[in-house]
Amino acid sequence: MSNPVPDTSDIDTPVAPSSFYSSSTSHGSSHTAYIAPIPTYLEPQLVKDDPVPERARPVSPIWQPPVQDWGSTGPTPWDTTDTDWAGGLWPDTSATRKVDIDGRVTEEERRWYDAEYRAQRARPGPGMLPTMLIDLLHDPNHALYSVIAQSLPNGPSSTAPSADEVRTAIPDANAYYCREHNGWVLLTWRSSSVIPPLVRALDASLPDMYRRKLTNSCVGDGEQPFGQANATHHWHRYERAVDASKTNPPYLHGEELLDLHMCCQCSRLCLSSQVIPGVIPAQVVEDFTRDKLAHPLPGKTPKASMLLGWDTVLTIIEKRLWHDEKRILPVTRPRFQSKLGWNSTVKAVFDAIEFKAEPLAITSNTSSPPPSAVGEELALQPPTIDVTTPEGRRNRAKLVRAWIEVGAWLAIYRSSSKESTSASTPVVMNVIVTGEREMIQTALGAHVSQIPRGLLPPVVARHQALEDSWRALGITPSSYSWELLAFAYLAQVRCDPANTMVYFTHLFKIVQTMVDLGETPPSELQTLLMDEQTRHRYTPEMLRQAAGLLGFGKNGDVGMELDSDIDDSFILEAWRSARRRAWRDPTHAVETRHNLNEALKLIADDRASSVLQKAWEEEKGTGMSPDSAYSTLEVPKEVDKTMLIAVFLMRVEDQPSQTERMREALNVIAEVTDSARLRQFLETGSDPGDQSHTATQDMPRGLNQLGNTCYLNSLLQYFYTIKDLRDAITPLANADAKLLDDSKVTDDDLKRHRVGGRMVTRREIQRSKKFVNQLADLYWNLEYCDVPAVTPTIDLAKLALVTSQDEEEDDQDRTGTDESNDTDATLVDDAPTHPPYDRSSGSPAQSPTESVLGKRPRDTMMDVDKLHPQENSTVESTRPSTSDAQENVASSSKLKPPDASGDIEMREEEHDTHSGSKAPPLPMRKRQMDDSVMMFGRQHDVSECMDNCMFQIETALLDFQEMTGAEDDKTSVVKRLFYGKKRQRLTDISPSDNPRHQSSIHEKEDLFSHLHVNVSDEGIDLYDGLNRYFDDVVELAGQKKRMEVSLVDLPPLLQIQLQRVQFDRETQQAYKSQAYVKFGETIYMDRFLDSADITKKAEAKTTQAALTGCRERIQRLTQDKYAPFDVALGSTAEFLSQQTQVDLPEADEALCATLLGERDLVTAQLEKERNDAVRLKGDLEDVWKDDTKVAYELTSVFIHRGSSPSWGHYFLYSRYLPDKPDMWFKYNDSDVSVVSKDEVLADTSGSTANPYMLVFARKGCEAIQTVHRFDPESLQDG
């Protein structure tokens, strides 16, 4: 890429020699100094500042440090020997003692995460060591040279440039020449505590100026009279911060912004520019050189031809300047051709120096070319250099600069060339160049005598994976030593504390890589890493391990990832729970608790959480064991909680100085005994057993989590808000043994009474009554208790989460037999394994156990209860209807229903129905228990848990004395509240699908408790999802059928399940869809009724088909495997048009144009499809805009937070009905809070917390009473 042509508008402005040079010694880039006329801002002269004498601090507030005095009377914030480092909070270990570095502040490094504390010091940010600065100033593979015009060519011209004119043609007194760029770099350095004027506000803070003034330089003999305070400079870079025209000397050749580099430890600073292009662009120089080497002149070597070409260019410039040569140069004449030749490359060189090629006829006034040549040849017209005209002055200055640059280029080339150039006769060189690499390195502290090289083992130095780590720490691999690496790390932490963990990660990576590559890291580096880890430094992997210790992660006890959405209170509860669980292993409990404390500290630092920091400081303790805790309080282990609290208060009163130790002892006992009462006492200071301890009377109560029961808590809270259901359950709170006894129920009663179309067993009746009894007790506490949260009993959780089938299998495992524990007296008959209870219909449902999101496969197979009059055949069904299940026994089991022979139907295999024999039934498989979750079973599927609870509620509320054998759809409170009736219609998509019967329609009516919305695509709302449910294409017996569903009867409570579990066919893995489904406070179900207007249905169906087509096409263009195609096509065209590494003849302009044309077509198609989708969606809603009679209002929203479909956290939003419909409660286990409606209805795009079930109540039905609390004032009023 060629460099830009420089602005030469002021290049001809002369500078008086008396002003340009002085006799003083230079500290800059050349051997001369430039003293400019005094500008408005006076830059310090290029001399060293005098050492600062010991004196009192200046009183000017500008220079006052934030905390301590800089004088000799006391320690400063930058001292390495402050009290903390010397043996206070962080011991001064051998590794840090050996590293020369000052300015560190213990408290700042400890509180690196605290933004407010960091703001007090305004540190300058990341820095770099001198070796990296040298690499940044200019390409390290390029040398920089000072250039001096030693003598001038002899010539008769009176207008020849003077010596001063030649010297001032160099861009600046502090300019260095780079041959590879054929350009200049402005570079100057000095020791100064005053910075040049800045052209803009800097993004980062400047180093502390008072501290910088205390030390002249970090390196050099005698620079630090009180000993080496820092191993080397620590430079900070501020890009394009200083105007070159405001420096001393000022840059007079156009605008140029300089980078400012400052050492934060001393007064050394450096200014540098980008490459200032030469007169002849670097690319032209490179092309000319390559061309001459590739096409040598006859009789000359390539190198001699190239040098002759440049010598000729230099001679032409000299003759124009010093001999006032004005004759044209015919480019086709033998003499010109023998030295330069003529092509576009040669032309570009002369164009750059204003020698314009024109037809010879135009320039024939000075010579008499052959007649045949006139008008045909080209000649170079020398530019005017008349100092009386602006154009002449510009051309003159440009030629002088070009003369210096070409001369410098040739001098450097000849001095560095290893091959002989005797074949060419060089012109007299009037330019002297001197390589200044060592001088620059020494001035900036990067010389090999200051920083040795080559100490890093070669295998580590070549390891490319460490490049980012070296760069982040501001050090180059070539300058490695363990002292400098440690210094670089500590200096970055000192100057950029906010990124302390980033720097520690890179340091850890370097040391670990040494180990991985078979190199032994220096012991000092290993010690430094250990020291830093004791100060709670960590890497991302250590942070993940810390989260895992607290139970976060896919396989952790919490069952969800730790991300920014997690509340601090939730993390604290996970930490406390993990600490309590640690006591289960007394041998390693103390060590485990110590590791948990360290884990919380890392998480607290990473989140910059004052809440977690405070909890860590107050609760981490000293590692007291349970025996020590009881001994400290002087109580026996069997003491009751009331006495224990009383003794604690007495001990604290008698020994107030031992309060913290007493609290730790009580905290240990609370964790060992898992006492919520003691924990609450420690948190609040009041005994929850004391009746004076109350919570807000009108707030709902929360439910404490027992371990992975957050979704059960949400479900139980939801049931509690349903008035009729709660009223049916709460009377059973004090049920006695007689009520739970089922001995009076005869076998005939059991056969006549069914739940979900299936019979139940005595065991299930008794089990269900126990569940409802426990649930009633819980609801009584939710109504009457004063504490903010109630803890469900373990038995209640077990009955809710463990199905009867699970329980029976556990019994079989314990007894070693496959026989059930039920006897002839308890079983209705010798039935096979129980089929599942289905809340979505009267028939068994498929309820997968792989997902806790409750996804259920859409019922694509349905039984034909009523055939079309013209249809005489039957349809084989894999899902029996209610009538088909008359003889089945009900259960909350997960297994499939038995077939007529009693064998379990296995969907995974298809048996040959014509073989005449059946395979024997498969043996029962034992369930594998996961020890990482709950003490009484695995984490169950949400839908399975809801099935189990609803089954047990309905079973427990059966009235065997009143019910008849016939099952009414609305005989139970569960049926009345949750169940509606739907009509399913199965038709052929086209007549060819059924050759025997051209018109085949199958219909059935069935109960439902849930409507299912498949959540796979972005950009849909609830109506879109329901439309798919009510009109879909399914596969039956290898043929696709259209299934249309309509609603015959709607329940008071409409439950809509958002099925977020999707399957990735490429990875063969299930995943959770995070797509946002828009919904509002009200939904109108008129359009889905069986009685809806047929004309509107037909119109809506046509519009919906068109809308679906648009969305499918948009998805293919934007979300397909190789999508988005418009971006891909455009990027491909851009790449092919720009790449030069590989020769691709077929990738021509025509192909690129074709690709861009295809991109435009795709873009246009996308825009059209999106516009059509918006229009069609509007048309669809317009069809039903007047159908608003069947209105349902949103009452509850179940939320799943997590990225996996198999685990995560659950909570519930519930609307405050009927009292305050604009208020919502958030039930998050034990925490119940008031939230806004906006939070409930918020767009969840980009979040892992999404709704997975919505509950709507029929408008005006008053089925929900969210808050049901006992009001003591009602007794007083009575």
Side-chain angles (χ1 to χ4, degrees):
M1 182 175 174
S2 61
N3 292 315
V5 178
D7 182 2
T8 59
S9 59
D10 295 329
I11 199 169
D12 59 331
T13 304
V15 181
S18 59
S19 299
F20 190 86
Y21 291 99
S22 83
S23 58
S24 60
T25 302
S26 172
H27 294 271
S29 60
S30 68
H31 301 297
T32 58
Y34 174 45
I35 303 175
I38 299 176
T40 55
Y41 166 79
L42 182 59
E43 179 76 6
Q45 299 299 312
L46 300 180
V47 295
K48 294 183 179 180
D49 291 343
D50 294 329
V52 180
E54 293 187 5
R55 57 182 176 82
R57 280 289 311 283
V59 296
S60 171
I62 298 176
W63 299 112
Q64 289 182 357
V67 182
Q68 293 177 295
D69 187 47
W70 286 106
S72 59
T73 57
T76 75
W78 297 91
D79 290 336
T80 56
T81 56
D82 66 325
T83 54
D84 285 341
W85 288 114
L89 181 61
W90 300 114
D92 191 8
T93 63
S94 59
T96 53
R97 267 204 311 270
K98 293 180 181 180
V99 179
D100 294 322
I101 182 170
D102 68 357
R104 298 172 63 197
V105 179
T106 303
E107 186 64 11
E108 184 181 32
E109 293 191 359
R110 185 182 71 83
R111 296 171 60 182
W112 63 269
Y113 52 83
D114 190 336
E116 293 183 1
Y117 189 85
R118 295 196 309 267
Q120 298 176 13
R121 297 182 182 275
R123 296 287 193 174
M128 67 191 80
L129 270 54
T131 51
M132 180 164 284
L133 174 63
I134 290 293
D135 289 353
L136 287 178
L137 291 178
H138 195 62
D139 191 323
N141 297 316
H142 298 176
L144 294 177
Y145 298 83
S146 58
V147 179
I148 297 177
Q150 178 177 260
S151 61
L152 302 181
N154 296 322
S157 175
S158 61
T159 61
S162 65
D164 292 331
E165 191 174 354
V166 171
R167 291 180 183 126
T168 55
I170 297 174
D172 192 82
N174 295 314
Y176 291 89
Y177 178 74
C178 173
R179 183 177 70 88
E180 288 77 7
H181 286 97
N182 191 42
W184 305 82
V185 175
L186 302 186
L187 185 61
T188 181
W189 54 85
R190 59 178 61 89
S191 292
S192 175
S193 58
V194 180
I195 62 173
L198 305 176
V199 297
R200 59 178 176 84
L202 300 179
D203 297 332
S205 301
L206 288 169
D208 185 279
M209 293 301 154
Y210 187 80
R211 174 175 180 255
R212 295 184 67 247
K213 194 169 186 177
L214 296 178
T215 304
N216 193 57
S217 177
C218 295
V219 297
D221 296 337
E223 295 291 356
Q224 301 184 75
F226 301 104
Q228 191 78 13
N230 292 284
T232 185
H233 292 296
H234 195 236
W235 294 97
H236 297 269
R237 185 184 190 191
Y238 305 91
E239 295 186 35
R240 304 179 66 80
V242 177
D243 187 348
S245 65
K246 300 295 193 302
T247 61
N248 186 13
Y251 179 70
L252 302 175
H253 301 287
E255 295 183 1
E256 185 69 32
L257 295 181
L258 305 179
D259 294 341
L260 171 64
H261 310 272
M262 302 178 68
C263 177
C264 61
Q265 304 160 165
C266 68
S267 57
R268 205 68 165 162
L269 61 81
C270 171
L271 296 173
S272 67
S273 73
Q274 303 298 314
V275 175
I276 300 173
V279 174
I280 304 176
Q283 189 62 50
V284 174
V285 173
E286 183 180 350
D287 292 344
F288 181 88
T289 302
R290 188 185 298 113
D291 179 68
K292 296 307 171 189
L293 291 172
H295 306 91
L297 297 172
K300 294 185 179 296
T301 65
K303 185 167 293 186
S305 297
M306 180 270 294
L307 292 175
L308 177 60
W310 280 119
D311 286 341
T312 303
V313 173
L314 187 63
T315 301
I316 291 172
I317 295 174
E318 273 186 20
K319 287 189 176 184
R320 182 68 189 98
L321 289 172
W322 275 274
H323 297 269
D324 198 22
E325 180 63 71
K326 299 179 180 178
R327 290 178 296 175
I328 62 172
L329 295 172
V331 299
T332 58
R333 302 292 172 88
R335 187 175 180 183
F336 191 94
Q337 288 289 326
S338 65
K339 293 185 177 183
L340 286 173
W342 183 253
N343 55 26
S344 60
T345 303
V346 178
K347 181 179 183 299
V349 172
F350 284 98
D351 284 345
I353 58 177
E354 302 299 333
F355 278 74
K356 304 300 183 182
E358 298 176 353
L360 189 59
I362 299 176
T363 61
S364 60
N365 58 328
T366 12
S367 61
S368 301
S372 62
V374 175
E376 298 176 1
E377 292 190 67
L378 291 177
L380 294 174
Q381 174 67 43
T384 177
I385 55 173
D386 185 359
V387 295
T388 62
T389 66
E391 181 184 5
R393 288 194 297 271
R394 281 195 300 272
N395 291 340
R396 183 185 185 88
K398 183 179 289 189
L399 284 175
V400 175
R401 171 81 67 82
W403 178 79
I404 292 174
E405 290 169 351
V406 174
W409 193 97
L410 284 168
I412 295 169
Y413 189 91
R414 284 194 167 98
S415 65
S416 60
S417 177
K418 296 180 180 180
E419 300 180 17
S420 173
T421 58
S422 58
S424 64
T425 303
V427 297
V428 177
M429 297 305 300
N430 303 100
V431 174
I432 296 177
V433 294
T434 305
E436 303 293 3
R437 181 192 298 272
E438 292 196 1
M439 182 188 71
I440 297 171
Q441 290 181 344
T442 301
L444 300 181
H447 193 266
V448 68
S449 63
Q450 298 163 322
I451 297 180
R453 306 294 203 274
L455 300 180
L456 186 66
V459 66
V460 182
R462 294 191 300 266
H463 198 65
Q464 295 184 352
L466 291 179
E467 289 182 0
D468 291 341
S469 297
W470 297 115
R471 189 179 304 108
L473 295 174
I475 183 175
T476 58
S478 62
S479 60
Y480 160 84
S481 66
W482 79 260
E483 296 94 336
L484 274 187
L485 180 57
F487 171 82
Y489 163 71
L490 294 173
Q492 294 289 58
V493 169
R494 175 194 64 195
C495 295
D496 187 22
N499 290 310
T500 293
M501 296 308 122
V502 175
Y503 301 126
F504 177 77
T505 299
H506 288 298
L507 176 66
F508 186 91
K509 182 179 179 181
I510 291 174
V511 177
Q512 185 61 46
T513 300
M514 291 182 180
V515 177
D516 295 341
L517 296 177
E519 299 291 340
T520 302
S523 59
E524 293 83 357
L525 283 182
Q526 298 181 50
T527 303
L528 176 61
L529 282 182
M530 289 188 292
D531 292 343
E532 291 297 280
Q533 285 184 265
T534 62
R535 300 172 63 201
H536 307 293
R537 306 301 192 233
Y538 58 85
T539 66
E541 179 58 31
M542 294 175 185
L543 186 64
R544 284 192 290 272
Q545 292 174 1
L549 282 176
L550 267 59
F552 290 95
K554 180 177 180 180
N555 299 318
D557 292 334
V558 176
M560 61 187 302
E561 294 289 353
L562 177 60
D563 54 36
S564 57
D565 292 338
I566 306 298
D567 298 329
D568 287 346
S569 58
F570 190 86
I571 296 174
L572 272 183
E573 184 56 36
W575 175 62
R576 290 164 179 159
S577 299
R579 278 165 53 96
R580 290 193 295 270
R581 290 195 301 271
W583 295 118
R584 298 177 185 176
D585 181 8
T587 305
H588 303 97
V590 174
E591 178 185 0
T592 302
R593 286 165 59 84
H594 169 76
N595 293 337
L596 288 168
N597 292 341
E598 295 297 299
L600 180 66
K601 174 60 175 171
L602 301 192
I603 295 172
D605 288 358
D606 185 71
R607 296 170 67 94
S609 169
S610 58
V611 173
L612 298 182
Q613 294 285 354
K614 181 181 179 182
W616 177 78
E617 292 171 359
E618 294 179 353
E619 301 181 35
K620 63 180 178 180
T622 61
M624 183 182 295
S625 66
D627 291 339
S628 299
Y630 285 108
S631 176
T632 298
L633 293 173
E634 302 179 31
V635 294
K637 293 183 179 180
E638 59 273 11
V639 64
D640 64 72
K641 301 301 184 291
T642 302
M643 180 59 69
L644 181 60
I645 293 174
V647 170
F648 168 79
L649 294 173
M650 181 183 66
R651 297 278 186 259
V652 170
E653 185 177 358
D654 292 343
Q655 305 175 52
S657 63
Q658 297 296 315
T659 298
E660 290 304 317
R661 182 167 176 78
M662 298 295 177
R663 283 185 60 85
E664 182 180 359
L666 187 61
N667 185 60
V668 170
I669 296 173
E671 291 180 345
V672 172
T673 59
D674 194 17
S675 171
R677 178 179 178 183
L678 292 180
R679 288 196 297 271
Q680 191 164 346
F681 170 74
L682 286 168
E683 292 175 4
T684 63
S686 60
D687 183 2
D690 187 352
Q691 293 302 317
S692 63
H693 175 75
T694 60
T696 306
Q697 189 63 33
D698 58 348
M699 277 293 290
R701 274 21 183 181
L703 294 177
N704 294 314
Q705 188 179 153
L706 299 175
N708 286 347
T709 59
C710 50
Y711 59 86
L712 174 61
N713 287 348
S714 299
L715 181 62
L716 298 182
Q717 292 280 26
Y718 163 61
F719 284 159
Y720 186 73
T721 64
I722 304 171
K723 183 179 183 301
D724 290 349
L725 185 65
R726 184 181 62 236
D727 290 346
I729 291 173
T730 48
L732 302 177
N734 299 316
D736 53 18
K738 183 177 180 181
L739 181 61
L740 298 178
D741 183 17
D742 62 350
S743 59
K744 295 183 179 180
V745 179
T746 66
D747 292 350
D748 292 337
D749 291 333
L750 293 176
K751 291 180 180 179
R752 290 196 307 269
H753 299 85
R754 306 171 185 276
V755 176
R758 306 169 218 131
M759 294 178 289
V760 294
T761 66
R762 287 191 176 87
R763 175 172 180 163
E764 286 176 323
I765 294 173
Q766 190 173 25
R767 188 180 191 275
S768 299
K769 288 184 176 181
K770 289 180 180 178
F771 168 74
V772 173
N773 176 244
Q774 295 272 357
L775 183 60
D777 287 339
L778 177 69
Y779 284 175
W780 188 93
N781 284 321
L782 290 177
E783 180 179 359
Y784 290 97
C785 76
D786 292 327
V787 294
V790 179
T791 302
T793 64
I794 294 294
D795 287 342
L796 174 62
K798 179 178 179 180
L799 290 167
L801 296 170
V802 180
T803 65
S804 60
Q805 177 63 28
D806 290 332
E807 195 172 65
E808 292 173 15
E809 291 179 8
D810 289 340
D811 291 342
Q812 293 170 5
D813 292 341
R814 285 193 293 267
T815 59
T817 177
D818 291 337
E819 295 180 0
S820 170
N821 287 343
D822 287 331
T823 64
D824 293 340
T826 59
L827 286 178
V828 176
D829 51 23
D830 192 12
T833 308
H834 305 318
Y837 170 76
D838 178 18
R839 55 192 166 91
S840 63
S841 71
S843 56
Q846 301 160 337
S847 180
T849 60
E850 293 82 2
S851 165
V852 296
L853 286 183
K855 175 173 180 179
R856 299 173 168 208
R858 169 77 183 271
D859 291 338
T860 59
M861 313 294 187
M862 73 173 196
D863 297 319
V864 182
D865 290 346
K866 180 173 61 176
L867 297 180
H868 191 276
Q870 298 176 359
E871 180 70 20
N872 297 322
S873 62
T874 60
V875 177
E876 181 182 355
S877 172
T878 57
R879 197 183 69 171
S881 65
T882 305
S883 60
D884 295 330
Q886 294 290 327
E887 300 304 321
N888 294 341
V889 181
S891 169
S892 52
S893 165
K894 305 178 296 297
L895 299 181
K896 306 300 181 195
D899 59 15
S901 65
D903 291 333
I904 301 299
E905 177 188 359
M906 303 301 294
R907 293 266 183 156
E908 294 82 354
E909 298 180 346
E910 295 183 3
H911 300 284
D912 185 1
T913 57
H914 303 288
S915 62
S917 62
K918 291 189 175 183
L922 295 177
M924 295 292 292
R925 290 181 294 177
K926 295 184 179 180
R927 292 178 292 107
Q928 297 183 357
M929 305 300 291
D930 187 354
D931 296 335
S932 65
V933 286
M934 296 179 59
M935 65 189 72
F936 44 78
R938 61 185 174 83
Q939 180 167 337
H940 278 64
D941 184 290
V942 170
S943 58
E944 189 173 274
C945 177
M946 182 174 283
D947 283 347
N948 193 31
C949 292
M950 292 177 66
F951 169 82
Q952 293 185 96
I953 292 172
E954 187 170 2
T955 300
L957 297 178
L958 286 174
D959 187 347
F960 288 93
Q961 304 301 320
E962 300 294 332
M963 291 175 58
T964 62
E967 181 184 3
D968 192 318
D969 288 345
K970 307 293 184 177
T971 54
S972 70
V973 65
V974 173
K975 286 283 196 308
R976 289 196 300 271
L977 289 170
F978 301 107
Y979 279 78
K981 184 177 292 185
K982 64 184 178 182
R983 175 173 289 121
Q984 295 174 288
R985 179 187 296 263
L986 195 66
T987 61
D988 297 327
I989 295 180
S990 64
S992 60
D993 293 336
N994 193 338
R996 292 184 300 168
H997 303 282
Q998 296 301 318
S999 178
S1000 175
I1001 300 177
H1002 305 157
E1003 286 188 0
K1004 69 170 289 187
E1005 287 188 0
D1006 207 351
L1007 298 179
F1008 74 92
S1009 64
H1010 281 67
L1011 299 179
H1012 303 282
V1013 171
N1014 184 37
V1015 181
S1016 59
D1017 303 330
E1018 297 282 357
I1020 68 169
D1021 61 15
L1022 193 55
Y1023 287 114
D1024 292 324
L1026 289 172
N1027 282 333
R1028 297 180 184 178
Y1029 176 84
F1030 286 100
D1031 190 350
D1032 201 357
V1033 175
V1034 299
E1035 188 169 335
L1036 179 65
Q1039 292 185 350
K1040 290 186 177 181
K1041 304 286 186 179
R1042 176 170 299 280
M1043 176 177 283
E1044 297 176 345
V1045 180
S1046 58
L1047 301 179
V1048 178
D1049 182 31
L1050 284 167
L1053 295 177
L1054 183 64
Q1055 301 177 130
I1056 301 177
Q1057 186 171 337
L1058 306 182
Q1059 299 183 157
R1060 294 190 172 273
V1061 181
Q1062 304 296 323
F1063 186 75
D1064 190 326
R1065 296 185 181 276
E1066 289 190 7
T1067 63
Q1068 295 294 301
Q1069 297 291 328
Y1071 68 95
K1072 175 192 171 186
S1073 169
Q1074 309 287 359
Y1076 167 59
V1077 178
K1078 185 178 180 181
F1079 59 91
E1081 290 184 275
T1082 305
I1083 184 173
Y1084 300 99
M1085 299 299 293
D1086 306 68
R1087 67 185 70 180
F1088 305 117
L1089 294 179
D1090 191 60
S1091 57
D1093 187 287
I1094 297 178
T1095 304
K1096 290 184 177 181
K1097 276 188 175 183
E1099 182 181 355
K1101 185 174 182 179
T1102 303
T1103 306
Q1104 181 66 53
L1107 176 60
T1108 301
C1110 279
R1111 287 173 170 169
E1112 288 176 350
R1113 290 189 290 274
I1114 292 172
Q1115 184 176 16
R1116 284 197 297 270
L1117 292 174
T1118 59
Q1119 299 179 30
D1120 205 10
K1121 182 177 181 180
Y1122 300 105
F1125 292 106
D1126 53 346
V1127 177
L1129 289 167
S1131 300
T1132 303
E1134 181 180 4
F1135 171 77
L1136 292 176
S1137 64
Q1138 296 180 358
Q1139 77 88 22
T1140 58
Q1141 301 297 321
V1142 182
D1143 185 18
L1144 298 174
E1146 63 275 14
D1148 53 11
E1149 293 183 0
L1151 176 61
C1152 294
T1154 302
L1155 291 173
L1156 293 176
E1158 288 294 322
R1159 179 200 61 186
D1160 296 340
L1161 288 175
V1162 172
T1163 302
Q1165 179 69 18
L1166 262 177
E1167 183 177 2
K1168 177 182 180 301
E1169 296 293 352
R1170 285 171 174 152
N1171 292 336
D1172 288 348
V1174 173
R1175 175 181 56 79
L1176 290 169
K1177 176 63 177 175
D1179 293 345
L1180 184 61
E1181 295 307 315
D1182 287 343
V1183 173
W1184 302 105
K1185 64 181 179 180
D1186 298 327
D1187 295 76
T1188 57
K1189 295 180 180 180
V1190 186
Y1192 275 77
E1193 295 181 327
L1194 185 67
T1195 66
S1196 300
V1197 179
F1198 289 77
I1199 301 292
H1200 172 267
R1201 182 173 63 202
S1203 57
S1204 169
S1206 301
W1207 39 272
H1209 181 62
Y1210 295 82
F1211 55 90
L1212 170 74
Y1213 291 117
S1214 185
R1215 196 173 186 177
Y1216 193 169
L1217 296 175
D1219 303 328
K1220 301 176 181 178
D1222 290 331
M1223 181 186 295
W1224 287 78
F1225 292 110
K1226 179 181 179 180
Y1227 295 84
N1228 191 1
D1229 289 332
S1230 59
D1231 182 32
V1232 181
S1233 57
V1234 177
V1235 298
S1236 67
K1237 176 178 65 176
D1238 293 338
E1239 177 177 330
V1240 180
L1241 302 178
D1243 186 340
T1244 60
S1245 299
S1247 172
T1248 64
N1250 326 98
Y1252 74 91
M1253 191 169 78
L1254 308 175
V1255 181
F1256 293 84
R1258 188 164 50 214
K1259 191 171 183 178
C1261 74
E1262 298 185 356
I1264 302 296
Q1265 185 185 14
T1266 308
V1267 178
H1268 182 64
R1269 293 280 300 149
F1270 171 69
D1271 184 6
E1273 294 183 0
S1274 62
L1275 296 179
Q1276 298 176 3
D1277 294 341

